[in-house]
Amino acid sequence: MSQALPSLTLPSVPVEILRASCATCSIQQLCLPMGLDAADMNRLDQIIGRRRKLSRGATLFRIGDPLVNLYAIRLGHFKTYQINQGGAEQVTGFQMGGELLGMDAISADRHHCNAQSLEDSEVCEIPFSSLQKLLADMPTLLRHFHRMMSQEITREQGVMLLLGNMQATQRFAAFISNLAARYEARGYSGTKFQLRMSREEIGNYLGLTIESISRLLSKFKKDGLLRVSNREIELLNPARLKAITAGTDTCN
């Protein structure tokens, strides 16, 4: 495994700017519950640590690292992965802006996966000990945090279903459809976007070879489902992609 690139940190900024960060952040509706009043928002802002920049390929945390922070992704994309018994990398997920990294460590106080940036990215560090105290005093935030943990469990169950029961064509259609929905939820185009991960990483995640991913891209392109230009993807028939995922269209 290649050595991780060093992470970069932002210069220190005035406290007033840090305290305004959550209120003015463009993705705060994804990280935070609706309806926090100014006082609660201010309390939350006070526990947010530094904004941390990571260059492409940098490691945010590693397997075995102690739980210190949770990380809200402000910009960029990440992948999480584990190392299997044979020493090979197994991708366990891809994360983007508005999602939390680090919740894998809550149960045992140590991380069970590695997190690596797929491009130049930025996260907000949330000290977990401070967050725990705040959650005890803010029921709205606690319920939101529980929802995010539930969504993570649901996502992992979806991956198990994806790898266990779906054919290769379904797996890939589900992956593309899921990415499209996540981009749309963030205010970006849900039909045209760039794949931040490599074909090899997609194949690793889906349990398919890189050759299979290339064949599926070519097939979907030929069948009029996608337009593909290097890493740029345009969905030409989102409804049919969802039907393939559901197994109601075999895409023969």
Side-chain angles (χ1 to χ4, degrees):
M1 184 171 58
S2 59
Q3 185 176 1
L5 298 174
S7 61
L8 304 176
T9 57
L10 286 171
S12 60
V13 295
V15 173
E16 292 77 14
I17 295 178
L18 283 176
R19 288 183 177 177
S21 61
C22 286
T24 59
C25 182
S26 62
I27 59 167
Q28 61 122 322
Q29 72 276 10
L30 297 171
C31 292
L32 302 176
M34 299 297 292
L36 283 184
D37 59 26
D40 285 344
M41 184 72 78
N42 184 59
R43 292 178 66 192
L44 180 61
D45 279 329
Q46 288 183 29
I47 74 165
I48 300 296
R50 62 177 176 168
R51 290 182 182 177
R52 179 176 171 187
K53 285 188 173 181
L54 297 102
S55 56
R56 181 179 182 272
T59 296
L60 183 60
F61 54 78
R62 300 179 185 276
I63 295 172
D65 284 352
L67 171 60
V68 178
N69 299 308
L70 298 183
Y71 304 92
I73 303 173
R74 291 195 72 249
L75 301 169
H77 292 71
F78 287 79
K79 70 175 179 180
T80 49
Y81 65 94
Q82 296 177 336
I83 304 299
N84 63 27
Q85 292 181 344
E89 179 180 307
Q90 176 60 59
V91 177
T92 57
F94 299 106
Q95 298 79 23
M96 61 179 68
E99 296 177 347
L100 277 179
L101 282 166
M103 288 192 291
D104 63 293
I106 292 176
S107 62
D109 293 325
R110 291 192 177 276
H111 290 286
H112 297 282
C113 64
N114 302 301
Q116 185 180 61
S117 57
L118 294 173
E119 60 181 341
D120 291 349
S121 302
E122 184 176 322
V123 299
C124 293
E125 295 183 345
I126 307 172
F128 187 64
S129 59
S130 299
L131 178 63
Q132 281 183 300
K133 296 175 183 177
L134 199 60
L135 291 174
D137 295 332
M138 294 174 60
T140 300
L141 187 61
L142 178 61
R143 286 194 297 271
H144 180 72
F145 188 69
H146 285 163
R147 279 198 298 271
M148 296 187 78
M149 294 186 70
S150 177
Q151 289 168 358
E152 180 68 13
I153 293 170
T154 302
R155 185 196 67 80
E156 291 184 355
Q157 290 175 337
V159 172
M160 292 176 64
L161 178 64
L162 185 75
L163 299 181
N165 296 325
M166 289 186 176
Q167 300 297 320
T169 304
Q170 288 178 281
R171 297 182 193 184
F172 189 64
F175 176 76
I176 295 296
S177 295
N178 176 263
L179 276 182
R182 290 162 72 188
Y183 280 124
E184 188 172 17
R186 284 153 180 79
Y188 300 110
S189 172
T191 58
K192 190 173 184 180
F193 49 85
Q194 285 196 341
L195 297 175
R196 304 298 180 177
M197 62 293 294
S198 67
R199 296 184 183 186
E200 183 177 9
E201 288 167 331
I202 295 171
N204 186 298
Y205 177 65
L206 296 178
L208 302 171
T209 64
I210 186 174
E211 292 80 12
S212 294
I213 297 299
S214 295
R215 284 196 297 269
L216 286 167
L217 278 169
S218 297
K219 178 175 177 55
F220 282 19
K221 182 178 179 180
K222 180 180 177 182
D223 291 347
L225 299 174
L226 299 177
R227 182 176 289 119
V228 182
S229 177
N230 295 321
R231 289 196 178 190
E232 186 171 276
I233 299 289
E234 183 177 0
L235 279 63
L236 302 178
N237 195 335
R240 192 178 174 203
L241 283 172
K242 292 179 181 178
I244 293 170
T245 299
T248 57
D249 187 324
T250 58
C251 191
N252 290 326

